[in-house]
Amino acid sequence: MSARKLHVDGRNEQLVLGVGVVTGIGLGLQGLSPTGSTVIDWLLLIASAVFVVWSGATAPWWALAAAAGIAAAIAEPWLPLLVGVGVLGLALAVGTARRSQPVERAIVVGAILLVLSTARDLGAFGVSTAVGVLVAITLAAFGLSRRSRRVRRVGYIAAGAAAGVLVIGTLALVLSGTSARPDLTTGEQAARQGLRELKAADFEQAQSSFERAATSFGRAADDVGAVWTAPARLVPVVSQHHRAVDQLASEAAAASSTVATQLGEIDFDALRIVDGRIDIEAVEGLQQPMAELQESLASLDAAVVSAQDPWLVEPLADRLADLRVDIAEQRDLGDKAVIALDRAPAMLGADGERVYFVMFTTPAEARGQGGFMGNYAEITIDEGEIELTDFGRHSDLNRAATEPFDLSEAPADWLAQYGGEGFARGPGRPVATDVWSIYTISPHFPHTARVADILYPQSGGQDLDGVFNLDVYALEQLVGLVGDVEVDGRDAPLNGTNTAEYLLIEQYETDDNAERIDQLEVIARAVTDRLLGGNAPEPIDLGRAMAPMVRERRLMAWMEDPSEQALLELVSMDGAVLGGRGDRDGVHVAINNDGTGKMDSYLERRMVYEETPDGDELSITIKHTAPVESLPDYVTAVSSDLGRGDGRWLVTVYSTRPVTEAWLDDQPIGVNTGQEAGLQTASIKLVLPPDGSATFRVRFGPNTSFDQTKLIVSPQPLVQPERWAYFGDAPRTLESRSVLDR
């Protein structure tokens, strides 16, 4: 039967064509989109289905059976699978009947095409589609081969015309793409450069980059959208590329132009402190331009998203994906800026006077937060007017209390963890009289700030609306911005590169403790006066200088207002221990000086996290390297129960999982366990002689609740870098706050 020629005439031909139309409509309803244009897609699907069904109406039964078997084998849902099996049976029935049966064959072909349209993914994207197209072409070819010469000629002419459109369309895409590619590349590079500059708060350069991007994308859009490229819209896959490039170039040009315009309207210099005042109206005036900038970036992102298509070749798809990543990062930063501008007026006293407590801390004497508080400042802001209303030392606050300190309202888990270190009031356990010297004991800054909020009124201060912490490295950055500070007895002034070294090491080389105290106050007060006076830095410069300090937990803040505290958490300025870890495993080590000496600038720490057959372990090696013999007595002075130069530290491990075992220099020991800030804690007190070292090792319980692919570590901001090493699937060495890949 396969050798003879078959005819489809009269009513049978009409029915076959009808089956083809119905099949094409069915393919369209399946959501197939070979070109990305709705009208062209429907016309193309119906025309293709009619041609294949009409041609396949004379295909041999065994070809129909083979095609039906392939369709059933790769069908995804169970219903198309059953249909495919049924079609296979129908194809076999056609073969056993040994008659032409063009309508029945057409129905089989149409059903095969519909089942193929539901095919599951076969590995790489597009493989299942290629299989379906190949099956359809094969059926059409077998069917045409069994028609008369005249009919075959018509079929071949139709196929040739389609091939011609394919060639012309592909050539049009190649030529237009070749012409537009340099401008597309330049536009994409300029846009990404603008995003990097925007991230670095270089708004002027970012505006220039986006203007270049708009110009380049515009030229590319003109090339791709030219009239002579119209045939490319008719060719499957080719049209996807053409549409993606055309849409990307056009919409990216418009969005880039809008971004450039918005950047020209944003002036962050309006946030600068001038004569002790920030213009609240100017701050509010930035809210709308920033919101519009975010909308423009969203439009640029939408242009990239709409241009993305799984049919795109990998280089273009990769470029679009990379651009989206950059846009997403900037939109995230922009969203935070919009929220900050919304909260800023109230924080600047627009709704009433605000009082803020600023602590100046130094890690020369280690505390869990980083260092002990040497000086403090009280800042009052009302309607943008900023005033320094008090300034002093921690000892002033200790002496100012007229009654014993009361910390009964302190966070319960903070009291449970550290109450025994001088904070628990009760029979035989009063709050220490030098509480302001030791209250920065916790690495969880929200607790430290809350304790300051409780203590300050007891020392004669005002009720607080917020608390800020700056350590000596953050202070050094401010010195670099406001100008050199002269210090009595020192030939060269302090600047943005030597202030921290002076405050941590050089100042302790003098034997005159009173003189040292006066000089420390001079530095902190000079910086504060200049910030609030006529020498305030530009806001952008201030942000660039302080951003690393926030990441290193050397600049932290707390606000009493929940919405303002949420903003600090959003920008990771809240100082929460292991903050932002989500569902990931994490560990932090807090070291507190428990011997009253000021030798912690020389303290070395090395942390090794290791996966062992018995469980994850953390080894903490601490080395006391202070040059005791060359330091003044008041620097090396320690508790009466310690020898000269000896050091004693409270070492606390904060972790998401509890510690189950512990060792000190490989000898099993007991530890004090507890909880704070939702984390497990394990503590010991460690005594070391000069140049001595010890290793505290702990083993954690099994990980049953946390992401096992990541480990969050948050180094304590002391002087010597906290060095981390990880031994597991992939070793890592770190010196800053990091996420360790397991």
Side-chain angles (χ1 to χ4, degrees):
M1 181 175 179
S2 60
R4 63 189 178 89
K5 304 301 180 185
L6 301 180
H7 300 278
V8 183
D9 299 319
R11 180 169 176 76
N12 281 340
E13 186 167 34
Q14 293 176 358
L15 291 174
V16 167
L17 293 175
V19 171
V21 172
V22 171
T23 301
I25 294 173
L27 294 175
L29 294 176
Q30 287 281 8
L32 301 185
S33 181
T35 70
S37 172
T38 302
V39 174
I40 295 176
D41 284 342
W42 276 91
L43 293 175
L44 186 61
L45 288 171
I46 292 175
S48 300
V50 168
F51 178 77
V52 174
V53 169
W54 174 76
S55 301
T58 53
W61 70 268
W62 53 266
L64 296 175
I70 293 173
I74 65 175
E76 176 73 79
W78 63 270
L79 182 58
L81 174 60
L82 293 179
V83 173
V85 173
V87 172
L88 175 59
L90 182 58
L92 294 174
V94 169
T96 58
R98 303 188 66 81
R99 297 195 303 273
S100 61
Q101 297 179 293
V103 176
E104 288 80 355
R105 293 174 194 260
I107 292 173
V108 170
V109 174
I112 289 172
L113 295 180
L114 291 172
V115 173
L116 286 172
S117 70
T118 68
R120 65 180 183 275
D121 289 336
L122 301 176
F125 178 80
V127 173
S128 58
T129 301
V131 171
V133 171
L134 181 60
V135 169
I137 292 175
T138 302
L139 285 176
F142 275 123
L144 282 176
S145 69
R146 290 156 58 90
R147 297 290 185 91
S148 66
R149 180 177 298 177
R150 181 183 63 81
V151 173
R152 290 201 306 272
R153 184 181 300 113
V154 172
Y156 294 153
I157 290 173
V165 172
L166 174 63
V167 172
I168 294 173
T170 303
L171 183 61
L173 176 66
V174 171
L175 292 176
S176 63
T178 301
S179 176
R181 181 174 181 177
D183 286 322
L184 280 174
T185 301
T186 301
E188 181 260 348
Q189 291 174 344
R192 295 189 70 183
Q193 177 67 23
L195 290 168
R196 287 191 293 270
E197 290 162 347
L198 195 54
K199 186 176 182 179
D202 192 343
F203 292 93
E204 184 175 346
Q205 288 299 320
Q207 180 183 7
S208 177
S209 294
F210 276 107
E211 288 173 347
R212 294 198 310 274
T215 300
S216 297
F217 281 132
R219 286 198 298 262
D222 291 340
D223 289 337
V224 177
V227 175
W228 58 270
T229 66
R233 296 181 174 89
L234 304 176
V235 182
V237 181
V238 170
S239 63
Q240 300 280 15
H241 288 281
H242 182 274
R243 179 183 60 84
V245 175
D246 187 15
Q247 188 169 346
L248 171 65
S250 300
E251 296 184 9
S256 297
S257 178
T258 304
V259 170
T261 300
Q262 295 299 334
L263 287 173
E265 298 177 2
I266 296 176
D267 180 16
F268 275 102
D269 282 346
L271 302 179
R272 189 171 186 171
I273 302 173
V274 179
D275 295 328
R277 184 177 185 275
I278 295 180
D279 188 344
I280 293 180
E281 290 185 0
V283 174
E284 294 172 337
L286 288 173
Q287 294 172 352
Q288 185 62 28
M290 276 300 300
E292 292 175 353
L293 174 61
Q294 287 300 97
E295 292 176 1
S296 299
L297 289 173
S299 297
L300 180 59
D301 187 49
V304 176
V305 171
S306 63
Q308 288 182 312
D309 191 286
W311 286 104
L312 292 179
V313 292
E314 191 169 335
L316 178 56
D318 288 346
R319 280 187 174 275
L320 293 179
D322 291 342
L323 181 56
R324 278 213 73 195
V325 170
D326 289 347
I327 295 172
E329 290 179 355
Q330 182 53 47
R331 289 183 67 188
D332 179 63
L333 292 174
D335 287 341
K336 294 174 182 177
V338 169
I339 296 173
L341 287 171
D342 179 65
R343 303 285 190 273
M347 296 171 72
L348 293 171
D351 301 329
E353 182 181 88
R354 289 294 188 96
V355 179
Y356 298 115
F357 184 82
V358 181
M359 57 177 74
F360 297 96
T361 58
T362 171
E365 189 172 330
R367 296 289 185 270
Q369 178 183 301
F372 88 106
M373 185 183 77
N375 285 81
Y376 74 93
E378 179 189 282
I379 305 293
T380 301
I381 308 180
D382 190 13
E383 292 291 342
E385 295 285 348
I386 308 173
E387 183 181 359
L388 176 63
T389 47
D390 195 13
F391 190 95
R393 288 187 54 78
H394 64 91
S395 54
D396 299 334
L397 296 175
N398 286 329
R399 290 191 297 266
T402 58
E403 296 183 5
F405 289 111
D406 182 0
L407 284 172
S408 58
E409 298 299 319
D413 54 343
W414 181 87
L415 275 177
Q417 179 67 32
Y418 293 111
E421 302 300 324
F423 303 105
R425 186 177 184 183
R429 300 182 70 184
V431 176
T433 56
D434 63 343
V435 64
W436 283 102
S437 307
I438 60 176
Y439 82 104
T440 56
I441 192 170
S442 170
H444 189 61
F445 185 70
H447 283 175
T448 300
R450 176 60 182 142
V451 172
D453 181 47
I454 294 170
L455 289 174
Y456 192 54
Q458 298 179 44
S459 292
Q462 303 185 66
D463 290 334
L464 299 175
D465 296 292
V467 178
F468 291 82
N469 172 77
L470 294 88
D471 82 347
V472 295
Y473 290 96
L475 188 62
E476 179 178 79
Q477 293 297 314
L478 293 178
V479 171
L481 292 171
V482 302
D484 294 354
V485 176
E486 298 286 346
V487 175
D488 291 341
R490 194 177 193 278
D491 294 336
L494 299 180
N495 54 41
T497 61
N498 62 13
T499 299
E501 182 179 3
Y502 172 80
L503 291 174
L504 292 168
I505 297 176
E506 185 179 336
Q507 70 163 326
Y508 293 115
E509 294 176 351
T510 175
D511 289 326
D512 189 343
N513 189 37
E515 179 182 348
R516 177 184 59 79
I517 291 175
D518 290 341
Q519 291 174 348
L520 178 61
E521 182 170 340
V522 165
I523 299 168
R525 182 138 197 169
V527 169
T528 305
D529 288 342
R530 292 182 189 180
L531 281 173
L532 303 184
N535 198 29
E538 294 184 3
I540 297 301
D541 293 337
L542 181 62
R544 289 173 182 161
M546 303 315 289
M549 301 296 99
V550 173
R551 289 194 296 270
E552 295 176 17
R553 293 167 52 86
R554 300 186 185 279
L555 172 62
M556 298 175 279
W558 169 85
M559 292 291 158
E560 186 177 42
D561 182 276
S563 65
E564 295 166 6
Q565 180 64 17
L567 170 63
L568 296 176
E569 294 170 2
L570 186 66
V571 299
S572 300
M573 193 176 173
D574 61 314
V577 62
L578 293 178
R581 69 182 183 278
D583 63 348
R584 294 172 293 188
D585 204 3
V587 63
H588 172 88
V589 179
I591 296 177
N592 276 278
N593 184 315
D594 193 51
T596 71
K598 301 184 183 300
M599 300 177 287
D600 295 334
S601 295
Y602 306 95
L603 197 65
E604 295 182 358
R605 300 155 296 153
R606 177 173 173 78
M607 318 298 181
V608 177
Y609 195 99
E610 184 174 9
E611 294 180 2
T612 74
D614 297 319
D616 291 1
E617 295 183 356
L618 173 65
S619 296
I620 306 156
T621 300
I622 299 175
K623 188 172 183 179
H624 177 21
T625 66
V628 174
E629 297 302 324
S630 62
L631 293 173
D633 288 342
Y634 76 86
V635 176
T636 60
V638 292
S639 301
S640 58
D641 57 335
L642 297 176
R644 184 181 187 277
D646 289 352
R648 182 169 61 211
W649 295 272
L650 172 65
V651 182
T652 305
V653 176
Y654 283 74
S655 56
T656 48
R657 290 180 279 153
V659 168
T660 57
E661 296 180 79
W663 299 263
L664 183 61
D665 290 333
D666 293 328
Q667 296 299 313
I669 59 169
V671 295
N672 294 319
T673 59
Q675 292 184 338
E676 187 190 10
L679 297 169
Q680 307 292 325
T681 64
S683 304
I684 64 166
K685 288 197 175 180
L686 179 66
V687 177
L688 292 176
D691 206 33
S693 66
T695 298
F696 175 37
R697 178 164 57 96
V698 298
R699 179 176 296 158
F700 300 106
N703 186 352
T704 59
S705 305
F706 302 100
D707 182 354
Q708 299 188 25
T709 64
K710 302 288 184 182
L711 175 68
I712 304 297
V713 298
S714 178
Q716 183 181 7
L718 297 183
V719 180
Q720 302 299 324
E722 182 175 295
R723 301 186 182 277
W724 278 84
Y726 176 85
F727 294 96
D729 294 336
R732 298 286 189 270
T733 300
L734 302 102
E735 295 186 11
S736 61
R737 185 175 185 177
S738 305
V739 177
L740 288 176
D741 290 314
R742 289 184 183 269

